[in-house]
Amino acid sequence: MHLYGTQSINELGHLTIGGVDTVELGKQYGTPLFVYDLALFRERARGFVDTFKKEGVKAQVAYASKAFSSVAIYQAAAQEGLSVDVVSGGELYTALKAGFPSAKIHFHGNNKSIEEIEQAFDSKIGCIVIDNFYEIELLKEISAKRKQKMDVLFRVTPGVEAHTHDFITTGQADSKFGFDLSNGQADEAFRLLFEDEYLQLKGMHCHIGSQIFETEAFSLAAKKVVDKMAEWQQSTGFKATVLNLGGGFGIRYTAEDTPLAPAVYVDDMIKAVKKEAEQFGIELPEVWIEPGRSLVGDAGTTLYTVGSSKVVPDVRNYIAIDGGMSDNIRPALYEAKYEGALANKMNAPLEETYTVAGKLCESGDKIIEDLQLPKAEVGDLLATFCTGAYGYSMASNYNRIARPAVVFVEDGKHQLVVKRETLEDLVKLDLPLTLGEG
């Protein structure tokens, strides 16, 4: 069995995380429960940050907070010296409520509202990443009206798309995000932003995929973007000071996944950027990256309580848990794979193969298929590993299910950082019907 971060098995045969017995966590906080290994989050963050420092490259490592957004995780990111990227007014508001330094916040998104842009200007955030021509005009209008400067990057699609073990290059990437690098869109965006009075263009941003297990695609993307930077410098004198290569660094969900250490990704990125900068004789830009899943993904474990079971003869055995697609939509949405274990029976022999079904009223609500476990009984505690990214952040109230609590653990201590929703929370925004009254 593969254990992550500080996970271990204690003398009672229970799964522990951060030196804390998960059975005790389940009793104290209830289930479903997200448990985050804060030490693993810190380890991953330092793996990225320290590699840039070791290479003497000026950089920003920005936590891509769409993976999991809460006051506490923003505060943990601040403790580790990270920047953060946000993609909505809600994420920006949460980061500010956490006391996160506004100058280290980067705002992404393909359809930022006027209100969100005003919020970003009011908060004096560090950077807006521009995504389309409409946004350029909107930002020009708002910044000029306010007579307020704002650092900006603009997002490009470099014609490199990477997912897991392979990648493809295309002349014109089909994406809802950014300006295409090969069809003239990026050149037009540059022309509109170059020497604007209030929008301070720092460079470009690109993102080439997710769950990437190799570095070649990052290197190729870096080459294409730096080449364009060099072209603009030669033709206009513009010197880009920032190159943001995005995120997408893979993690291990199952034995089929083979992620690299943070230092490996960063080392190869630095080599590629240095090589291109030297070749064209331009100054090495500050390199920004945006790890999200790779910081919190395998730091998160979800605990569930086992309830009913069902045997379909000669087909499969089901066990049902007290959560499901309301707290982890990924298996139903795109067949994401997970591993799990009975946290209260970690040393027991694996006797049965189960499909773990959620309690939501959908036949596709299955968290794990064909999971080998000890014989499962009502009340057992199921741990699903690597749920820290896009679990809680994509959780819903489908079937009027209350969203789970979130706990951080570290050095034998535990802290509730997100309260469990109550039934009252589910109706607090509802209003009674008045139409049809006498």
Side-chain angles (χ1 to χ4, degrees):
M1 179 179 298
H2 187 90
L3 297 177
Y4 298 84
T6 64
Q7 291 179 347
S8 64
I9 302 170
N10 67 14
E11 66 280 358
L12 298 174
H14 296 172
L15 175 69
T16 70
I17 308 174
V20 181
D21 191 324
T22 56
V23 174
E24 295 305 314
L25 289 174
K27 289 178 180 177
Q28 179 167 345
Y29 298 107
T31 59
L33 179 68
F34 284 95
V35 181
Y36 279 85
D37 183 349
L38 197 52
L40 183 53
F41 171 83
R42 297 190 194 281
E43 177 187 315
R44 291 289 166 74
R46 293 168 189 176
F48 288 113
V49 172
D50 291 348
T51 305
F52 281 112
K53 288 181 179 178
K54 183 186 70 174
E55 295 296 326
V57 174
K58 193 174 182 181
Q60 284 194 47
V61 178
Y63 168 51
S65 63
K66 67 176 183 174
F68 170 58
S69 175
S70 75
V71 166
I73 198 65
Y74 286 124
Q75 291 172 335
Q79 287 177 355
E80 295 304 316
L82 303 181
S83 299
V84 299
D85 86 51
V86 299
V87 296
S88 72
E91 287 181 357
L92 174 56
Y93 180 82
T94 306
L96 294 172
K97 288 291 285 186
F100 199 89
S102 62
K104 298 181 73 174
I105 298 175
H106 312 154
F107 201 150
H108 289 255
N110 71 310
N111 191 27
K112 304 177 188 72
S113 68
I114 293 174
E115 293 77 17
E116 287 174 325
I117 293 172
E118 294 278 5
Q119 181 186 7
F121 274 86
D122 288 342
S123 305
K124 295 181 173 59
I125 69 166
C127 180
I128 292 178
V129 181
I130 299 173
D131 205 87
N132 50 66
F133 291 112
Y134 166 74
E135 189 179 335
I136 290 177
E137 296 309 312
L138 202 57
L139 282 168
K140 279 176 170 284
E141 180 182 333
I142 291 172
S143 61
K145 182 178 179 180
R146 298 170 66 108
K147 292 182 169 55
Q148 181 179 346
K149 294 184 177 181
M150 175 64 71
D151 287 352
V152 298
L153 305 178
F154 66 94
R155 180 168 178 167
V156 299
T157 53
V160 179
E161 185 178 5
H163 293 280
T164 314
H165 291 289
D166 55 14
F167 73 93
I168 58 173
T169 59
T170 59
Q172 182 174 344
D174 181 7
S175 172
K176 76 173 189 177
F177 297 108
F179 304 89
D180 194 275
L181 205 58
S182 62
N183 70 359
Q185 289 182 342
D187 293 297
E188 177 64 10
F190 171 76
R191 185 189 67 78
L192 291 170
L193 292 167
F194 180 48
E195 293 185 339
D196 185 86
E197 184 177 359
Y198 295 105
L199 301 180
Q200 308 293 297
L201 180 61
K202 297 299 180 181
M204 286 187 285
H205 168 280
C206 68
H207 179 78
I208 59 173
S210 59
Q211 271 296 87
I212 302 170
F213 295 153
E214 41 73 32
T215 63
E216 188 177 358
F218 286 114
S219 298
L220 182 56
K223 171 179 168 52
K224 290 194 171 191
V225 178
V226 174
D227 287 1
K228 181 59 72 172
M229 287 179 169
E231 178 186 320
W232 288 335
Q233 181 170 326
Q234 185 175 20
S235 62
T236 69
F238 171 75
K239 295 183 179 181
T241 56
V242 174
L243 170 58
N244 190 328
L245 291 171
F249 316 112
I251 68 166
R252 183 194 187 279
Y253 283 104
T254 71
E256 297 176 356
D257 298 328
T258 55
L260 302 172
V264 177
Y265 290 110
V266 172
D267 274 335
D268 279 19
M269 282 181 169
I270 291 172
K271 288 176 184 176
V273 176
K274 281 184 174 179
K275 179 181 177 182
E276 294 306 309
E278 290 172 1
Q279 178 179 337
F280 289 99
I282 65 174
E283 188 175 335
L284 186 70
E286 183 172 328
V287 179
W288 294 6
I289 60 171
E290 297 164 345
R293 184 199 317 265
S294 55
L295 290 176
V296 294
D298 50 6
T301 301
T302 307
L303 303 178
Y304 301 102
T305 299
V306 174
S308 66
S309 61
K310 177 182 179 180
V311 177
V312 182
D314 302 320
V315 180
R316 71 176 72 233
N317 294 345
Y318 286 96
I319 55 171
I321 53 174
D322 56 352
M325 62 188 294
S326 56
D327 59 75
N328 189 353
I329 191 69
R330 296 183 71 250
L333 189 63
Y334 39 76
E335 300 181 343
K337 306 298 183 185
Y338 289 90
E339 293 177 346
L342 291 182
N344 60 317
K345 296 179 177 177
M346 295 295 288
N347 292 329
L350 305 179
E351 298 177 344
E352 303 286 348
T353 300
Y354 295 102
T355 287
V356 180
K359 66 177 291 175
L360 285 295
C361 195
E362 295 286 342
S363 58
D365 181 25
K366 303 170 186 174
I367 297 299
I368 308 176
E369 294 190 13
D370 300 324
L371 175 63
Q372 288 189 302
L373 293 175
K375 184 173 177 57
E377 300 171 293
V378 174
D380 280 341
L381 191 68
L382 179 79
T384 302
F385 302 124
C386 301
T387 58
Y390 309 109
Y392 190 88
S393 65
M394 297 177 78
S396 74
N397 292 129
Y398 183 51
N399 289 172
R400 283 275 154 147
I401 302 291
R403 280 175 288 197
V406 181
V407 169
F408 282 7
V409 293
E410 187 175 32
D411 296 332
K413 299 177 182 179
H414 50 92
Q415 179 193 345
L416 182 69
V417 297
V418 180
K419 294 179 180 179
R420 183 178 306 281
E421 284 185 328
T422 65
L423 296 180
E424 183 60 32
D425 289 330
L426 295 177
V427 298
K428 68 183 179 182
L429 299 179
D430 290 7
L431 298 174
L433 179 66
T434 58
L435 297 176
E437 293 182 350

